[in-house]
Amino acid sequence: MSINKYYIVTALIFMSIGMAAASPVTVNGTPLPPIAVTADKSSGLDEVLVVNSVYAPEVSYESSSTSTRPKWYRYSSLGGGYAEEIANVSYDGNMSAISNADTDMGYIIEDGDSRYYFWIVGYENHDLDITSVSVSDESDCDRTVLNVSGKGSEIHYYGINGRRFILPREIEVRYLNLEWNDERKNYEQTEQIKSIDGIDHAILITPPVYCATSFTIEGDRFLKVWNRQVSASTPTYHPVAVECHTSATQAEGDDNSNQISSGGDGLGGSAPAEIEFNAYITDAVIHTEWQISTDPDFGNIEYRLNGQDLSFTFRDEGTRYVRFVGSNDNGSCETYGDTYTVSIGASELKCPNAFSPGASEGVNDEWKVAYRSIVDFECWIFDRYGTKMYHFTDPSAGWDGCYRGKLVSPGVYYYVIKAKGADGKNYKLSGDINILRYKGRKGVNSGS
């Protein structure tokens, strides 16, 4: 190894390299203005200069003083350890320069105790030209693949230790897609922009595309600065990928205060439990189905119900599992919603034996049964002479102690109940109802 090469390697290892506030290097004579790009910090370079031609006509360096003449070195992809000194350097005061500098090459300027490291990219060696773009047949349920005809490979530069880096070209792929908005509970169409560094291989789009769109490829960042950008678009693409989101809401009755709690905070509880299931789907979902199973793996599906939305009343004791399944027109892509667990507790029915209608509003002024998972119910109330005072079929309802619009007299009345639970249990109940005395008021019967 030469003395110069050894000195440069030592400097690369031990010197701390910082970015200058303003570049001391200038490129002159190019048809279009050069573009300075910040180099990756780990490259050890101060900057990367992009010129639109194959050669840089003149590269000059402004030294901080005239006491020394800077030395110039050039290195390839092998790194700064193999740098060679450039002989034909011109000097004018504190300015030094080289002519017809090679591009796609690294340079080191040794100025006394300081050094400046940079790489020059010749854009004509990597020119972007997009002939056409199309959606590949390799696209499937999980990805969209684009094929691009033209040229425009990745642009590389090499750090002072010979490590290769990619210079971001920022070629843009623009298209529309659907994104789920959890707050609004719907899919919204948004523009997507994917940045790529080259078109010399297939372009993978993930997540997959869920709506009809065309793909436009345009760029790159350097052509945009030079106002020479190129672009190409696909015909309208119709997606095959599918996605869904689902929700479940349990309907609550007007008054369920006399239901016996089944415990837990999930869906179900006391039968009959009416639950609304809703599915929100992307454009390619054609076939829709809700499945209700007795096992969480859906090995034993009791119901398959077509439709995007489902209203279902659970009447049987036990645990059921519910999910949505959607697929595209030929069934090649499927999507599954969340699995919902619906648990219906065992039936129970209890009857009170006393209440005091008219005594204090809202406090024990109505006769109601306490129940859970009662799916069929019928109750008759009689006075001691066998006269029917009241009849009702909703276990959440009750008797307010009135007969023909007036409160009945205190005393003993009788109930007869026939009911059936979600677990198949049959109830045949009868017993006394004691109406306690209350303060008389206008409109109250003196007897039954």
Side-chain angles (χ1 to χ4, degrees):
M1 180 180 291
S2 68
I3 295 177
N4 285 338
K5 292 180 180 178
Y6 177 80
Y7 186 81
I8 292 169
V9 172
T10 304
L12 298 183
I13 295 175
F14 292 103
M15 291 190 60
S16 174
I17 301 169
M19 294 297 293
S23 174
V25 175
T26 304
V27 179
N28 300 308
T30 56
L32 297 171
I35 301 172
V37 180
T38 301
D40 189 292
K41 289 183 178 180
S42 62
S43 71
L45 299 178
D46 292 283
E47 63 180 338
V48 177
L49 296 173
V50 181
V51 298
N52 71 302
S53 55
V54 176
Y55 295 97
E58 181 188 77
V59 183
S60 61
Y61 170 78
E62 184 178 4
S63 180
S64 58
S65 69
T66 59
S67 59
T68 60
R69 285 191 168 189
K71 292 182 179 181
W72 287 61
Y73 300 87
R74 180 180 61 187
Y75 74 91
S76 66
S77 59
L78 297 177
Y82 293 88
E84 296 180 347
E85 186 174 354
I86 301 173
N88 298 324
V89 181
S90 61
Y91 297 94
D92 183 8
N94 67 336
M95 298 296 296
S96 60
I98 59 174
S99 299
N100 295 321
D102 290 327
T103 56
D104 293 330
M105 195 70 68
Y107 292 87
I108 305 170
I109 300 175
E110 180 184 314
D111 186 7
D113 294 332
S114 65
R115 283 159 186 79
Y116 199 80
Y117 305 89
F118 61 99
W119 184 277
I120 300 179
V121 171
Y123 188 83
E124 285 188 358
N125 296 326
H126 315 278
D127 198 15
L128 177 65
D129 182 19
I130 307 172
T131 305
S132 65
V133 56
S134 61
V135 178
S136 170
D137 292 337
E138 295 180 4
S139 301
D140 54 29
C141 306
D142 301 315
R143 61 179 186 168
T144 306
V145 182
L146 303 181
N147 289 331
V148 186
S149 297
K151 61 179 181 178
S153 58
E154 292 180 349
I155 300 176
H156 301 134
Y157 65 94
Y158 292 82
I160 56 178
N161 61 355
R163 179 183 169 190
R164 190 180 76 171
F165 295 87
I166 296 175
L167 183 68
R169 297 190 71 151
E170 297 179 6
I171 302 170
E172 292 182 345
V173 183
R174 294 177 175 268
Y175 60 98
L176 298 176
N177 206 354
L178 297 178
E179 290 187 341
W180 175 251
N181 187 315
D182 196 53
E183 183 178 348
R184 297 180 181 178
K185 300 300 180 187
N186 63 10
Y187 281 97
E188 297 179 345
Q189 194 174 84
T190 59
E191 183 183 35
Q192 305 292 314
I193 301 176
K194 179 182 176 68
S195 181
I196 59 177
D197 295 318
I199 62 168
D200 52 346
H201 48 74
I203 300 171
L204 180 63
I205 304 295
T206 56
V209 175
Y210 299 116
C211 65
T213 185
S214 63
F215 297 88
T216 298
I217 300 180
E218 63 181 18
D220 54 16
R221 65 189 292 191
F222 307 110
L223 293 179
K224 284 184 179 181
V225 172
W226 293 327
N227 200 27
R228 294 186 176 185
Q229 64 195 69
V230 295
S231 67
S233 300
T234 68
T236 300
Y237 167 71
H238 297 281
V240 297
V242 292
E243 187 182 78
C244 71
H245 281 76
T246 57
S247 65
T249 306
Q250 183 163 345
E252 298 290 347
D254 294 335
D255 181 11
N256 61 354
S257 59
N258 56 329
Q259 282 194 27
I260 300 172
S261 173
S262 298
D265 299 322
L267 298 171
S270 177
E274 183 180 347
I275 303 176
E276 290 280 346
F277 299 95
N278 301 104
Y280 311 89
I281 57 178
T282 56
D283 294 356
V285 177
I286 302 299
H287 307 293
T288 58
E289 178 181 89
W290 285 94
Q291 300 174 348
I292 302 177
S293 173
T294 57
D295 68 279
D297 297 326
F298 290 83
N300 182 28
I301 299 176
E302 289 185 316
Y303 299 97
R304 296 179 182 270
L305 304 165
N306 293 329
Q308 186 172 337
D309 301 314
L310 170 67
S311 178
F312 193 87
T313 301
F314 293 84
R315 302 175 63 87
D316 297 330
E317 182 202 10
T319 300
R320 300 293 186 274
Y321 303 91
V322 185
R323 72 178 180 185
F324 173 81
V325 182
S327 62
N328 59 5
D329 57 352
N330 62 8
S332 60
C333 299
E334 285 188 331
T335 180
Y336 294 85
D338 293 335
T339 296
Y340 298 97
T341 302
V342 181
S343 297
I344 301 298
S347 66
E348 190 172 358
L349 184 60
K350 298 179 180 179
C351 303
N353 61 7
F355 74 118
S356 54
S360 179
E361 185 175 353
V363 179
N364 197 33
D365 61 347
E366 190 173 11
W367 186 84
K368 282 186 172 185
V369 300
Y371 72 97
R372 179 178 62 224
S373 295
I374 298 299
V375 295
D376 291 308
F377 178 86
E378 197 164 9
C379 176
W380 296 266
I381 297 176
F382 303 93
D383 65 5
R384 63 181 180 271
Y385 302 110
T387 303
K388 184 175 71 175
M389 300 283 101
Y390 192 64
H391 172 254
F392 61 103
T393 58
D394 182 356
S396 67
W399 181 39
D400 61 2
C402 289
Y403 177 66
R404 294 180 177 177
K406 296 182 179 180
L407 289 172
V408 299
S409 301
V412 179
Y413 296 80
Y414 306 92
Y415 66 84
V416 176
I417 293 176
K418 290 178 61 179
K420 184 177 181 180
D423 50 6
K425 182 177 180 179
N426 292 307
Y427 293 85
K428 293 182 179 180
L429 305 177
S430 61
D432 297 344
I433 302 174
N434 293 287
I435 294 184
L436 306 179
R437 292 187 177 276
Y438 47 80
K439 295 180 179 179
R441 63 186 184 187
K442 185 178 180 180
V444 175
N445 289 344
S446 58
S448 59

